Amino acid sequence: MDKKVLDHDVPTEEPVTFHFLAKFYPENAEEELVQEITQHLFFLQVKKQILDEKIYCPPEASVLLASYAVQAKYGDYDPNVHKRGFLAQEELLPKRVINLYQMTPEMWEERITAWYAEHRGRARDEAEMEYLKIAQDLEMYGVNYFAIRNKKGTELLLGVDALGLHIYDPDNRLTPKISFPWNEIRNISYSDKEFTIKPLDKKIDVFKFNSSKLRVNKLMERQRLAREKQMREEAERTRDELERRLMQLKEEATMANEALMRSEETADLLAEKAQITEEEAKLLAQKAAEAEQEMQRIKATAIRTEEEKRLMEQKVLEAEMLALKMAEESERRAKEADQLKQDLQEARESERRAKQKLLEITSKSSYTQSMNSSTTALPTDLPSFNLISESLSFDFKDTDMKRLSMEIEKEKVEYMEKSKHLQEQLNELKTEIEALKLKERETALDILHNENASRGNSKHNTIKKPQAQGRRPICI
């Protein structure tokens, strides 16, 4: 940054044109491109590189990408507005694709428009993201190529991208001969013009090559640092999420404790009240029995005088009324005692559930991140995120992991269905235009791509890892 602009490797003629471009391509555009303006600028860059044939794109995929580019620019298809010829001035397909088929511009427009009409309802940013999601699976997407030589002097290409380092034949930039993923590289060293790649697995051979350009090393170093920065940011995001989850579990534990205490207090009060009510019911029953005995005793006493008889009848009536009242009160108290027993049972059940909730929260084991594949590539100074706090610890192996697994499986099924439909459309278009292809105009990359497609190879499953054959340098 301290050098003057003209001290860099730039054209000396005027005017000097500068392009604002992304150096390191995101591995997953949907997850890594956050701001809409960043996504839009990156879409324009990738689109231009595909049209300039710096990124190889097969014909059928080129038509699909063109349809998303049209959706991003024109919005929803309207036959009354977007009439025949509205794409005549647009650059939508690589010249290689146009020259490969005996098709007029009108025929290409017809096929692009047919797919364009299916994208109804997609906003500009959604159409651009669909474009990038398809483009990021192209073999040459995000790969920087550098000329190198092995120990025997054989010319090769070194490809550097977000996935790692790849070795290619100069005539085949689609399929690497061998690949070294970033998380499996222990060290990259260089002395003068000789570079050495040391895999993490000491059983795998060391790879050495020569390069005349110092910027190869600079790019690899920047790529490695960018990867480490990304992994550091992911680790920090994971830490923040774990801390947030820990605070949530603490709050749940506090609420469960409070609920447990309230349940215990309620249960104690209800138990005490039930005992008192039961004793009162017993006492009333005893008094009712005594009143009944008094009534019987009075009846048994023979009083002959009318006054005594009247008084006797009045006492008998009062005794009967008292006995009836005592019986009703006894029955009411008995019902109240039964209700209190039921309330006590419900309170104890609430207490049991509160204890169970607290047990579930406090008995979870601490969560340990599973980053076996990525931690090997992290710098050694990365902070350790140990989130055990007091007696509260947790993991996501139970409910959270099951829910997450179900969501991932659902997204996977939806993605597979969408991919299957998309592949069927691509195959249909490929079959439709195959008869118009001029075989003699096929490029070497066209032939290589067709061979890979016939074998079912893609960008990701063609990455070959080095084989463990001792500690001698690899010669390709």
Side-chain angles (χ1 to χ4, degrees):
M1 294 298 295
D2 296 331
K3 293 172 64 176
K4 294 181 180 179
V5 172
L6 294 180
D7 288 342
H8 290 273
D9 185 16
V10 296
T12 55
E13 68 272 7
E14 296 181 1
V16 178
T17 303
F18 292 93
H19 297 279
F20 180 68
L21 302 174
K23 184 75 171 179
F24 304 111
Y25 284 44
E27 184 178 348
N28 188 322
E30 190 172 23
E31 293 182 0
E32 298 178 40
L33 299 182
V34 179
Q35 294 185 329
E36 185 177 335
I37 183 61
T38 308
Q39 174 186 304
H40 177 64
L41 292 174
F42 188 63
F43 157 76
L44 295 176
Q45 176 177 334
V46 174
K47 176 171 169 280
K48 179 172 175 56
Q49 290 193 318
I50 289 175
L51 294 177
D52 292 345
E53 301 182 33
K54 293 181 180 179
I55 297 177
Y56 174 82
C57 183
E60 60 276 10
S62 298
V63 176
L64 179 58
L65 291 178
S67 69
Y68 280 117
V70 174
Q71 176 71 21
K73 182 174 182 178
Y74 290 94
D76 289 344
Y77 172 69
D78 185 347
N80 297 322
V81 177
H82 307 117
K83 298 181 180 180
R84 183 183 296 273
F86 81 104
L87 297 179
Q89 303 302 318
E90 298 287 344
E91 184 183 6
L92 297 171
L93 298 172
K95 290 182 173 58
R96 169 186 55 80
V97 174
I98 296 174
N99 295 334
L100 188 57
Y101 295 88
Q102 291 180 312
M103 295 175 63
T104 64
E106 291 76 16
M107 295 170 68
W108 284 117
E109 180 180 305
E110 180 183 349
R111 283 160 176 79
I112 292 174
T113 304
W115 266 348
Y116 165 43
E118 293 187 11
H119 304 328
R120 174 173 294 276
R122 293 187 183 275
R124 188 192 76 171
D125 61 311
E126 293 175 328
E128 290 177 349
M129 181 53 67
E130 290 301 319
Y131 186 105
L132 292 175
K133 284 162 66 176
I134 296 171
Q136 70 188 9
D137 286 333
L138 298 176
E139 291 91 339
M140 294 174 64
Y141 166 88
V143 182
N144 288 289
Y145 297 93
F146 303 93
I148 61 173
R149 293 177 182 272
N150 63 7
K151 285 291 186 180
K152 295 181 179 179
T154 305
E155 292 186 354
L156 297 168
L157 289 176
L158 171 68
V160 184
D161 67 0
L163 299 177
L165 303 177
H166 318 284
I167 310 300
Y168 298 84
D169 276 330
D171 297 330
N172 183 359
R173 296 190 176 206
L174 299 182
T175 311
K177 294 168 65 68
I178 192 172
S179 293
F180 299 89
W182 289 115
N183 61 352
E184 296 182 13
I185 296 177
R186 177 163 52 97
N187 185 31
I188 301 175
S189 60
Y190 61 95
S191 176
D192 194 13
K193 296 179 181 179
E194 182 178 84
F195 294 81
T196 302
I197 302 174
K198 296 180 180 179
L200 193 65
D201 187 348
K202 295 183 179 181
K203 296 180 181 179
I204 297 179
D205 301 335
V206 174
F207 180 77
K208 294 185 178 183
F209 63 89
N210 294 317
S211 173
S212 59
K213 295 185 178 180
L214 183 62
R215 73 189 186 97
V216 175
N217 175 72
K218 290 181 179 179
L219 179 64
M220 288 194 299
E221 183 66 16
R222 288 175 184 172
Q223 188 84 35
R224 183 182 65 79
L225 291 174
R227 185 68 174 173
E228 288 181 357
K229 180 183 177 184
Q230 177 187 348
M231 295 175 72
R232 184 187 295 271
E233 290 172 350
E234 290 176 355
E236 289 176 352
R237 284 196 298 269
T238 303
R239 178 200 61 187
D240 293 341
E241 174 61 23
L242 292 178
E243 288 178 345
R244 185 194 66 78
R245 181 62 178 156
L246 178 61
M247 291 301 297
Q248 182 180 348
L249 286 175
K250 278 185 175 180
E251 291 175 1
E252 291 181 3
T254 302
M255 292 174 63
N257 264 322
E258 292 176 353
L260 178 60
M261 292 176 65
R262 287 195 300 269
S263 297
E264 290 175 345
E265 292 173 357
T266 303
D268 292 342
L269 289 173
L270 288 173
E272 184 179 353
K273 189 173 181 181
Q275 183 178 0
I276 293 172
T277 304
E278 189 173 355
E279 290 176 355
E280 288 179 351
K282 288 180 180 179
L283 182 59
L284 287 172
Q286 181 180 352
K287 288 183 177 180
E290 291 176 355
E292 180 67 22
Q293 290 175 1
E294 178 67 14
M295 183 184 66
Q296 294 297 330
R297 186 184 64 80
I298 292 172
K299 283 182 178 181
T301 303
I303 306 297
R304 287 181 170 79
T305 64
E306 288 297 327
E307 183 64 22
E308 289 178 345
K309 186 177 180 181
R310 186 183 62 77
L311 291 174
M312 181 63 66
E313 288 177 351
Q314 185 178 351
K315 287 184 178 181
V316 169
L317 181 60
E318 289 176 355
E320 287 178 348
M321 290 179 65
L322 178 60
L324 180 61
K325 185 177 180 180
M326 289 292 185
E328 290 175 351
E329 182 67 14
S330 176
E331 184 179 357
R332 186 181 67 80
R333 290 290 185 172
K335 288 182 179 180
E336 185 177 350
D338 291 339
Q339 181 63 40
L340 286 171
K341 287 180 180 179
Q342 183 178 350
D343 293 344
L344 176 61
Q345 185 177 359
E346 291 176 357
R348 285 175 176 167
E349 179 63 22
S350 299
E351 178 183 350
R352 187 191 64 78
R353 288 197 299 268
K355 286 182 179 179
Q356 182 66 25
K357 176 68 175 177
L358 183 61
L359 182 62
E360 288 176 0
I361 295 173
T362 57
S363 64
K364 292 182 180 179
S365 59
S366 62
Y367 173 67
T368 304
Q369 287 177 271
S370 175
M371 298 180 67
N372 294 335
S373 60
S374 60
T375 52
T376 54
L378 283 169
T380 56
D381 61 339
L382 250 181
S384 174
F385 304 125
N386 184 8
L387 298 178
I388 300 177
S389 176
E390 301 174 357
S391 63
L392 288 178
S393 57
F394 56 90
D395 64 19
F396 298 109
K397 292 182 180 178
D398 299 324
T399 308
D400 292 327
M401 279 303 297
K402 288 178 181 178
R403 184 172 66 251
L404 181 60
S405 298
M406 290 177 65
E407 291 175 359
I408 293 175
E409 188 63 26
K410 181 181 178 182
E411 291 178 1
K412 182 179 178 182
V413 170
E414 291 175 353
Y415 173 78
M416 292 297 290
E417 291 176 352
K418 183 179 178 182
S419 298
K420 182 180 178 181
H421 176 65
L422 178 60
Q423 193 60 46
E424 289 174 353
Q425 287 182 304
L426 291 173
N427 292 336
E428 182 180 345
L429 176 61
K430 185 176 182 180
T431 303
E432 182 181 346
I433 64 177
E434 187 68 23
L436 301 173
K437 181 186 288 186
L438 299 172
K439 290 284 187 182
E440 64 275 10
R441 294 186 182 178
E442 280 189 321
T443 66
L445 290 179
D446 287 322
I447 296 172
L448 288 169
H449 174 78
N450 291 334
E451 290 176 353
N452 283 341
S454 64
R455 289 194 292 265
N457 292 337
S458 65
K459 174 179 180 178
H460 299 283
N461 63 21
T462 55
I463 293 179
K464 300 176 182 176
K465 296 182 181 180
Q467 301 296 319
Q469 297 176 348
R471 287 305 308 274
R472 58 185 185 283
I474 296 175
C475 293
I476 297 180

